[in-house]
Amino acid sequence: MRRRVFAANWKMNLVPDEARTLAGEIRRRLDADAGNSAGDREVIIAPAFVALAAVAEAIAQSRIALAAQNMHYAERGAFTGEVSAPMLAAVGVTHVILGHSERRHILGESEDFISRKVEAAIAHRLVPILCVGETREEHDAGRAVEVILRQLHYGFSRLEAGPAARVVIAYEPVWAIGTGRNATPGQAQQAHGAIRASLRDRFGAETAAAVRIIYGGSVNPGNIEALMAQRDVDGVLVGGASLEAESFVRIARAGDNL
Ligand code: PEP
């Protein structure tokens, strides 16, 4: 069975003290669930780089994992302003969000750049959370699946089947991010199903069955249950609703009722 993933993407919000407090509050609430079904889900928090150490302290010895929102593929060197996989690992990071649409579309990251990062994350034993998703225009033109599969193709282009199984894929339609307009559960399932079928063609049934495919885009406590009920929705990546302990914890608990 695939372990469900509930990941919080705090984006460029919260200074270290604020991040420590929110992570501590999430931890307290989730610790109270331990012994129930907490073991079959993975809860991940991705604060800004400067808050990683503070959040690492707040979640130490808990079931919550620490993620970065980005990294460079090189191990070190003349890359002003960048952060490498070994640097992240040294402060307790185990997961890294790569190819988020805000980085693809606002900061101009290319498919090649993203694929190198995925390769480097795997090489350094970080779990990449690879984001894919179509824009509003691509969606309206009926090109969603084509765009997603192209991003997937490049994202996995430097991986063999073994390491590919460790990647978490986040389907995040750009038109649903931060807009309050989420994909319907049926739209999410259609995209996730296409992603899994493509993984099957490329890497075989075993790898395809192992990869977690999560949904992101205006997830909230009101729509989580219907999304999690879809066969190929293995969790969620949450932006806005993860900035409040109560709403993120309600999201992270929602799959328990399945
Ligand atoms: C995101 O940016 O990864 C995201 C899903 O944001 P939101 O939940 O705010 O739409």
Side-chain angles (χ1 to χ4, degrees):
M1 201 180 96
R2 292 184 291 271
R3 218 165 148 230
R4 293 169 292 156
V5 177
F6 297 92
N9 175 13
W10 289 349
K11 309 194 185 192
M12 200 172 72
N13 294 295
L14 309 179
V15 299
D17 277 349
E18 294 168 332
R20 187 197 321 269
T21 302
L22 180 55
E25 186 54 36
I26 290 170
R27 179 201 181 141
R28 263 188 299 285
R29 290 170 191 238
L30 290 177
D31 276 355
D33 295 349
N36 297 331
S37 54
D40 68 359
R41 68 182 169 213
E42 206 171 340
V43 176
I44 303 167
I45 296 178
F49 286 135
V50 293
L52 284 170
V55 172
E57 273 174 34
I59 62 174
Q61 272 86 53
S62 76
R63 294 169 181 270
I64 303 174
L66 185 63
Q69 298 173 17
N70 183 34
M71 62 168 232
H72 196 278
Y73 62 79
E75 285 187 17
R76 69 181 68 79
F79 298 101
T80 302
E82 293 291 328
V83 172
S84 71
M87 289 171 175
L88 295 176
V91 293
V93 167
T94 52
H95 296 66
V96 58
I97 299 172
L98 298 174
H100 191 280
S101 63
E102 287 150 15
R103 300 208 62 86
R104 290 178 188 269
H105 299 296
I106 303 175
L107 295 156
E109 289 197 1
S110 69
E111 298 290 6
D112 183 58
F113 194 38
I114 295 164
S115 75
R116 287 175 191 272
K117 296 183 192 208
V118 173
E119 180 186 34
I122 290 286
H124 289 278
R125 309 211 60 75
L126 297 178
V127 175
I129 302 174
L130 172 67
C131 301
V132 298
E134 80 285 2
T135 62
R136 167 92 264 165
E137 294 71 36
E138 290 161 342
H139 180 80
D140 289 347
R143 295 181 50 225
V145 170
E146 172 205 324
V147 170
I148 297 162
L149 296 189
R150 190 191 66 229
Q151 293 171 340
L152 196 67
H153 170 81
Y154 283 111
F156 279 75
S157 60
R158 296 167 191 274
L159 300 184
E160 303 293 332
R166 295 184 48 219
V167 178
V168 173
I169 299 169
Y171 168 56
E172 298 208 302
V174 180
W175 49 270
I177 294 179
T179 58
R181 200 180 147 213
N182 65 302
T184 64
Q187 284 172 324
Q189 172 54 36
Q190 193 185 14
H192 288 219
I195 290 169
R196 205 174 304 283
S198 155
L199 292 172
R200 199 174 302 123
D201 290 347
R202 181 138 169 208
F203 296 112
E206 203 180 322
T207 299
V211 170
R212 274 90 54 83
I213 308 173
I214 66 177
Y215 168 80
S218 298
V219 173
N220 62 49
N223 58 30
I224 180 70
E225 296 280 2
L227 287 162
M228 290 303 294
Q230 301 303 307
R231 194 180 60 227
D232 289 299
V233 176
D234 302 315
V236 285
L237 178 55
V238 189
S242 72
L243 288 166
E244 212 255 309
E246 171 68 14
S247 66
F248 181 60
V249 168
R250 279 173 65 199
I251 289 168
R253 282 180 182 145
D256 290 355
N257 302 329
L258 292 177

